[in-house]
């Protein structure tokens, strides 16, 4: 990991980030302290949660991430539609479900770490051939990074829930879009856009760990990059002074 100074023409600001690229080696079989994620069954039919990215003046990224209960109740079908991403040199871009919702002030750092009910952690990186061993909220790790703009994809995730209650429930959390070095670019809360998930008989199976819980709770920030925005002039002046 290394310190990085990333300039973006989209914002007219400089992003100072203390975390470098996610560049570890995949270690097959790495899993959470509470075991592998369990397949979620009996999700309520017809329930959709959607996160619509805000019309923020600091980024041109727009679009949505929607998750709908699979027709047979097992897992969640995701529909991703994003556009306006920065220059490809900042990619490939990552996207994750984060543990906490975005506060009213829009601070993406306040979403804390990835949704991770089995306490796996970010490193080593997720092995997409063994999605049950990944963090539940690591959508990019399990299903692929954002490599184009616009970006559209669909996939079935077996380890997330549209029913309130289990730790796999994502409807009260948020989506965060990152650069390749985990700088947070934009974020949005999931909201219920179809169906009713207030009560369900959702169950989990196939994992060797059991996690339950409803609303997100504050916890130490253990994943992702903390980001500060400062004026380009200040950074340039500081760099010049450093080189003199």
């Amino acid at each position: 990991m290394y310190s990085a100074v990333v300039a973006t023409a989209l914002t007219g600001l400089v992003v100072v980030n203390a975390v470098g690229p996610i560049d570890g080696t995949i270690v097959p079989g790495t899993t959470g302290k509470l075991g592998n994620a369990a397949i979620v069954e009996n999700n309520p039919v017809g329930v959709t949660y959607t996160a619509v990215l805000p019309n923020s003046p600091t980024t041109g990224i727009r679009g949505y991430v929607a998750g709908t209960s699979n027709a047979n109740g097992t897992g969640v079908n995701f529909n991703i539609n994003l556009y306006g991403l920065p220059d490809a040199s900042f990619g490939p871009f990552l996207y994750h479900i984060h543990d906490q919702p975005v506060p009213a002030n829009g601070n993406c750092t306040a979403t804390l770490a990835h949704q991770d009910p089995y306490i796996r952690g970010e490193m080593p990186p997720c092995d997409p051939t063994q999605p049950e061993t990944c963090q539940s909220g690591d959508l990019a790790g399990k299903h692929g990074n954002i490599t184009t703009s616009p970006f559209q994809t669909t996939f079935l995730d077996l380890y997330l829930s549209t029913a309130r209650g289990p730790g796999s429930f994502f409807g009260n959390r948020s989506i965060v879009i990152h650069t390749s070095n985990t700088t947070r670019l934009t974020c949005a809360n999931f909201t219920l856009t179809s169906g009713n998930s207030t009560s369900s008989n959702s169950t989990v199976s196939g994992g060797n760990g059991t996690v339950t819980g409803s609303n997100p709770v504050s916890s130490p920030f253990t994943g992702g990059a903390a980001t500060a925005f400062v004026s380009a002039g200040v950074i340039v002046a500081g760099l010049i002074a450093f080189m003199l």
Side-chain angles (χ1 to χ4, degrees), residues 13-215:
L13 301 175
V14 170
V15 180
V16 181
N17 198 305
V19 178
I22 299 297
D23 55 4
T25 301
I26 290 175
V27 179
T30 299
T31 191
K33 293 181 180 179
L34 301 181
N36 289 345
I39 293 174
V40 178
E41 301 175 333
N42 298 320
N43 274 318
V45 176
V47 171
T48 299
Y49 281 91
T50 305
V52 179
L53 297 177
N55 293 323
S56 169
T58 62
T59 178
I61 304 173
R62 302 290 185 268
Y64 64 86
V65 175
T68 302
S69 303
N70 196 15
N72 65 4
T74 301
V76 177
N77 285 306
F78 278 88
N79 182 7
I80 317 296
N81 191 325
L82 304 171
Y83 60 95
L85 285 107
D87 186 270
S89 62
F90 296 116
F93 299 95
L94 316 174
Y95 64 112
H96 313 112
I97 298 173
H98 279 236
D99 185 66
Q100 296 290 301
V102 182
N105 64 6
N107 183 356
C108 294
T109 301
T111 63
L112 302 185
H114 304 164
Q115 180 183 9
D116 189 15
Y118 294 90
I119 317 177
R120 181 198 187 276
E122 289 190 33
M123 300 299 289
C126 166
D127 181 354
T129 68
Q130 297 179 307
E132 70 278 5
T133 68
C134 301
Q135 292 178 303
S136 297
D138 187 2
L139 299 185
K142 290 186 284 186
H143 305 288
N145 297 328
I146 300 168
T147 56
T148 62
S149 182
F151 176 78
Q152 296 178 322
T153 189
T154 59
F155 53 80
L156 173 65
D157 193 298
L158 298 174
Y159 309 99
L160 290 166
S161 173
T162 56
R164 296 180 184 274
S168 53
F169 176 60
F170 69 94
N172 53 356
R173 307 181 196 274
S174 57
I175 195 77
V176 179
I177 313 297
H178 305 256
T179 62
S180 62
N181 74 347
T182 72
T183 297
R184 302 180 185 207
L185 296 173
T186 188
C187 53
N189 289 331
F190 284 99
T191 58
L192 182 66
T193 52
S194 177
N196 183 352
S197 69
T198 56
S199 62
S200 171
N201 294 319
S202 177
T203 59
V204 294
S205 67
N208 53 12
T210 300
V211 175
T212 60
S214 52
N215 295 322

